[in-house]
């Protein structure tokens, strides 16, 4: 309940942005699992966790990358898998497990390249580079859409 209160404390533009991104990612996850696992699925737990973590994933991360390396698409995209792995660790540890009792959103323990008890999978690096590319290209447009929606 505290996490939900935290989301309601977000400014309106952040609430709309996180809701849109969490919804878009639900469709991406559904498609990705249908290809990788042959069973399409996504969970409310992941949607809810993404509502809370998207500002770090897409607002804090670019600032951190530009501070540590440089701004631009190459460092943003190359480091994006680390960004997602941190998301998976934080979401599982602080949001999903406490709220649902176990990670009902994902579990990579059946893969040989899993780490941290199935929390992350190193083999997803190429998928996360792809997601980083998509985020680099569309996040500014989504933010502009939200800004225009609010100012109308």
């Amino acid at each position: 309940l505290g996490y939900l209160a935290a989301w309601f404390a977000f400014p309106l533009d952040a609430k709309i942005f996180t809701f849109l991104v969490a919804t878009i990612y639900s469709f991406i996850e559904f498609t990705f699992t249908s290809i990788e696992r042959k069973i399409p699925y996504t969970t409310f737990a992941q949607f809810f966790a993404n509502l809370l973590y998207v500002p770090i994933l897409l607002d804090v991360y670019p600032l951190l990358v530009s501070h540590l390396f440089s701004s631009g698409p190459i460092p943003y995209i190359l480091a994006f898998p680390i960004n997602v792995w941190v998301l998976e660790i934080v979401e599982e540890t602080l949001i999903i497990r406490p709220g649902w009792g176990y990670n009902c959103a994902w579990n990579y323990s059946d893969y040989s390249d899993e780490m941290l008890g199935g929390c992350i999978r190193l083999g997803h690096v190429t998928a996360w580079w792809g997601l980083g590319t998509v985020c680099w290209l569309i996040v500014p447009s989504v933010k502009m859409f939200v800004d225009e929606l609010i100012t109308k």
Side-chain angles (χ1 to χ4, degrees), residues 32 36-37 81 84-85 88-89 106-128:
F32 185 75
E36 184 188 48
R37 297 271 189 175
V84 175
W85 291 324
E88 290 177 326
I89 293 165
W106 68 88
N107 185 332
Y108 304 126
S109 59
D110 57 331
Y111 289 95
S112 62
D113 60 347
E114 66 82 22
M115 295 187 71
L116 305 173
C119 182
I120 67 172
R121 181 171 180 229
L122 299 179
H124 281 162
V125 68
T126 54
W128 302 148

Side-chain angles (χ1 to χ4, degrees), residues 55-78:
I56 296 167
L57 181 78
L58 299 177
D59 291 329
V60 174
Y61 169 73
L63 298 173
L64 183 63
V65 167
S66 65
H67 178 74
L68 292 175
F69 306 106
S70 65
S71 59
I74 301 301
Y76 180 96
I77 292 166
L78 287 178

Side-chain angles (χ1 to χ4, degrees), residues 15-25 51 142 145-146 149:
K15 280 192 267 248
I16 293 170
F17 178 71
T18 59
F19 185 83
L20 285 173
V21 171
T23 300
I24 291 166
Y25 189 75
L51 281 179
V142 174
F145 171 75
V146 170
L149 191 65

